[in-house]
Every structure is written in C-alpha cells, then in structure tokens.
Amino acid sequence: MKINSNTVLITGGSSGIGLAIAKAFLNLNNQVIICGRNQQKLAQASQTYPQLHTFLCDITQPDQVSEMFTAIKSQFGELNVLVNNAGIIKFYDFIHDEDALNSGEQEIATNLLGTLRVTKSALPLLLNSKESAIVTLSSIVALVPSANMGIYAATKAALHSFSRSLRQQLEQTTVKVFEVMPPFVDTEAIEQIKADKVSPAEVAEALIKGLRTNNYEIRVGPAKALYFAHRLSPAKAENILKQLVSKAFKVQMT
Ligand SMILES: NC(=O)c1ccc[n+]([C@@H]2O[C@H](COP(=O)([O-])OP(=O)(O)OC[C@H]3O[C@@H](n4cnc5c(N)ncnc54)[C@H](OP(=O)(O)O)[C@@H]3O)[C@@H](O)[C@H]2O)c1
C-alpha cells in the first residue's frame, strides 16, 4: 500500500495515538482529516499541525457520522485511507461495580458500533479509489483478555474478528484491511496504569511500516512477544498479562 498522496481520515485523531498517526501521515505528504467529540482538542491539534482538516463528530451518533461523510465527499471528493482509531477504555469490576453495564455499553457503542458505522459509511469512497485501506486499532487484549477490562477486550476481539471477515470480503477489491495491535501505550486513556508503555509515535511508525509492507496484522513492540506466547499457550499468555496488569494496579494504589 502506498504511504503518500493519500486522503486519510483518522477517527479520534485529536490526541494520543490518533494524533501521532496524523503527524506521521502529514510528514509523508498525505491529506489528513481527523475527527473527535471535543472542539477544543480539535482546535489544539490544528494549531499544532495547521495542515490538518478537522470535523467535530461523535462516531456513536449516526447523524453526525452521516454529516461528516457528506462534507468529506463535497470538500475532498475522495477518501482512500480510513484509520479507525477512536476508542474508549474503562477499568472496572464487572461483578461488583454498580455502573459496569453502563460503562460497557459506552465501550461497545464507541469501539465496536461506532467503528462499524464509520467503516460502512467510508466504504463507497474507499471502493471508488484505485488503492485504499481500512486500518483498525484493536489491541493485544483482542487475543489475550484481562479481567478488569473485560468488555473493552471483548470489543477489541470483535474488531479483530470483523477485520478478518472484512479482509476476506474485500479480497477481490482495491481495499486492503489492516489491524494494529498495540501493547500499553503512553496516552491519557491509560494514564492511571503504571506499566511499561510504548509511545504513540512508535505505534504510528509501526502502522506506516505495516501499510508499506502490506503486513495486515501489525503487532507493536511487546505485543509481538505476547502474541507468540498466546500462539504457544493461550493460558500462559493470559497469565503473563494478568501479572502485568495486577502489578500495574498495585503500583497505582501505593
Ligand atoms: N493507550 C493504549 O494503551 C492502547 C492500547 C491498545 C489500543 N489502544 C486503542 O488505540 C485507540 C486510541 O487510544 P488512545 O490511547 O490514543 O486514546 P486517547 O488518548 O483517549 O484518544 C482517543 C481519541 O478518540 C477520540 N474519541 C473518543 N470517543 C470518540 C467518539 N465517540 N467519537 C469520536 N472520537 C472519539 C478522542 O477525542 P474526543 O475525546 O475529543 O472525542 C481522542 O481523540 C483506541 O481505539 C484504543 O482502544 C490504546
């Protein structure tokens, strides 16, 4: 997949991993569009990178997604890379936390339904391009789940499965389907976890390399080792992550 002269939409591109991906695409002479829910964060991003195009759009809201695509069609006339990055993570105990179901519903609405909605809306434009890509940020927890992020991990497992099905379905078309599985990344989303983290820039770099080399499942940094541990023994991999997470939360409480 070519990595320059694309028109790229990054959902949730105003901070964290999404913003690092936006910067990487801008540096490679791509036209970059980002969206998010918070106007101030979008304004801050375009102050830092004036070449960015921004849309205020909550991907859980069908009308807002539809309006954004109407605007993209009329302003750009094309879109050939979609990066499904917008996502939320909440840490809770599903058994004891009163608000667990509400938190889980928000995670499903954003990470899964929101991503499906944006993907479906982008497909006509992507299918109309000579070479295009759908890149979805899942996580290594798509394969190796963890107790205090159960529904989050389930949404990422669903995205992993969906990316594989979509890849099959789009096999004979111009659209390539990529998935990025990061480990812990140093962003606001997991601020409270005190563990070894990779930088958002490292995720962006791996994504660009994966696109260039047509590596459809991009595992980043320590996610590679956990992936191979999972292939050898899913139980062993689960145990490794369990220890990492419990250590991270213990450090947080002390
Ligand atoms: N950080 C990690 O350790 C890690 C590891 C593996 C995978 N990931 C995945 O990587 C992606 C980015 O995570 P991050 O760590 O960079 O998180 P982040 O720093 O919290 O950024 C999330 C971005 O998504 C946007 N967003 C959230 N909900 C949205 C919605 N409903 N509609 C539109 N935009 C929305 C946020 O902007 P607004 O608040 O303005 O909407 C923000 O720009 C997520 O899918 C996450 O699951 C993260």
Side-chain angles (χ1 to χ4, degrees), residues 213-226:
T213 55
N214 288 330
N215 175 14
Y216 297 123
E217 254 185 48
I218 305 161
R219 298 164 207 113
V220 187
K224 287 181 202 152
L226 203 51

Side-chain angles (χ1 to χ4, degrees), residues 12-18 35-38 41 57-60 85-88 110 137-139 152 156 182-185 187-190:
S14 57
S15 60
I17 298 171
C35 78
R37 296 164 301 178
N38 182 320
K41 278 167 71 178
C57 172
D58 180 339
I59 64 164
T60 68
N85 167 77
I88 56 170
T110 308
L137 273 288
S138 67
S139 165
Y152 172 79
K156 296 299 184 178
F184 289 138
V185 187
T187 69
E188 248 182 72
I190 61 156

Side-chain angles (χ1 to χ4, degrees), residues 61-111:
Q61 302 302 313
D63 291 353
Q64 293 184 26
V65 172
S66 159
E67 270 170 37
M68 176 172 72
F69 277 94
T70 303
I72 289 175
K73 259 179 243 163
S74 70
Q75 287 177 36
F76 301 89
E78 57 174 15
L79 177 77
N80 75 314
V81 179
L82 167 66
V83 181
N84 284 316
N85 167 77
I88 56 170
I89 178 165
K90 292 172 180 281
F91 299 100
Y92 49 87
D93 175 339
F94 186 75
I95 303 167
H96 300 105
D97 191 335
E98 285 286 316
D99 206 36
L101 207 51
N102 182 36
S103 297
E105 280 176 5
Q106 288 172 32
E107 290 175 308
I108 294 167
T110 308
N111 304 358

Side-chain angles (χ1 to χ4, degrees), residues 92-207:
Y92 49 87
D93 175 339
F94 186 75
I95 303 167
H96 300 105
D97 191 335
E98 285 286 316
D99 206 36
L101 207 51
N102 182 36
S103 297
E105 280 176 5
Q106 288 172 32
E107 290 175 308
I108 294 167
T110 308
N111 304 358
L112 181 56
L113 299 178
T115 297
L116 297 179
R117 178 174 299 114
V118 173
T119 302
K120 178 88 176 146
S121 309
L123 270 167
L125 285 167
L126 297 172
L127 284 163
N128 209 25
S129 298
K130 275 198 198 125
E131 194 182 16
S132 48
I134 296 170
V135 186
T136 299
L137 273 288
S138 67
S139 165
I140 193 62
V141 301
L143 301 176
V144 187
S146 178
N148 60 352
M149 44 179 129
I151 300 181
Y152 172 79
T155 63
K156 296 299 184 178
L159 289 179
H160 170 64
S161 173
F162 179 68
S163 295
R164 293 177 62 175
S165 325
L166 196 61
R167 192 174 298 133
Q168 278 179 33
Q169 212 183 348
L170 291 169
E171 215 165 33
Q172 304 303 326
T173 73
T174 55
V175 190
K176 296 183 166 86
V177 179
F178 295 82
E179 180 185 355
V180 183
M181 290 183 182
F184 289 138
V185 187
D186 192 7
T187 69
E188 248 182 72
I190 61 156
E191 228 171 14
Q192 71 266 51
I193 294 213
K194 306 293 174 221
D196 288 340
K197 298 172 188 174
V198 302
S199 69
E202 196 171 334
V203 180
E205 196 184 319
L207 184 156

Side-chain angles (χ1 to χ4, degrees), residues 37-54:
R37 296 164 301 178
N38 182 320
Q39 183 61 58
Q40 270 182 333
K41 278 167 71 178
L42 290 169
Q44 175 75 46
S46 40
Q47 208 176 352
T48 313
Y49 305 110
Q51 317 93 298
L52 277 178
H53 303 274
T54 64

